[in-house]
Amino acid sequence: MKGAYLKYFGVAIIVLGVFACIPVGFHLGGVLGVAIFLAVSCIAGMFFIGFGELVYSLQRIELEIAGERPQYDPLTGQYQVPPKDNGR
């Protein structure tokens, strides 16, 4: 699902921000620069994680309301509805 990619991207931002905060932060202005760079990278990462979770929740709601979308079968040239799984 699309939400999972945004969550992975957010985690990557946080991890790269933690690794890069010391060299980039000291270049920006000492300990305060390190703290600011670390805070900004954590906030940006959390934003993407939260947005990915929101997209995931909306996709689940859409599947509950509308059901599965028909998928195109190129061999027959028709749309086919996948069978519904009642074993949830």
Side-chain angles (χ1 to χ4, degrees), residues 14-60:
I14 292 173
V15 169
L16 292 176
V18 167
F19 286 134
C21 71
I22 293 177
V24 173
F26 278 124
H27 180 69
L28 293 176
V31 176
L32 183 63
V34 171
I36 290 173
F37 190 81
L38 182 63
V40 168
S41 66
C42 286
I43 290 170
M46 290 294 176
F47 172 77
F48 280 103
I49 291 172
F51 192 68
E53 192 64 33
L54 179 67
V55 169
Y56 178 71
S57 296
L58 288 174
Q59 287 176 339
R60 280 193 346 219

Side-chain angles (χ1 to χ4, degrees), residues 57-68 84 88:
S57 296
L58 288 174
Q59 287 176 339
R60 280 193 346 219
I61 291 170
E62 179 188 10
L63 285 176
E64 284 292 321
I65 293 174
E68 289 285 331
K84 198 167 197 176
R88 287 194 232 180

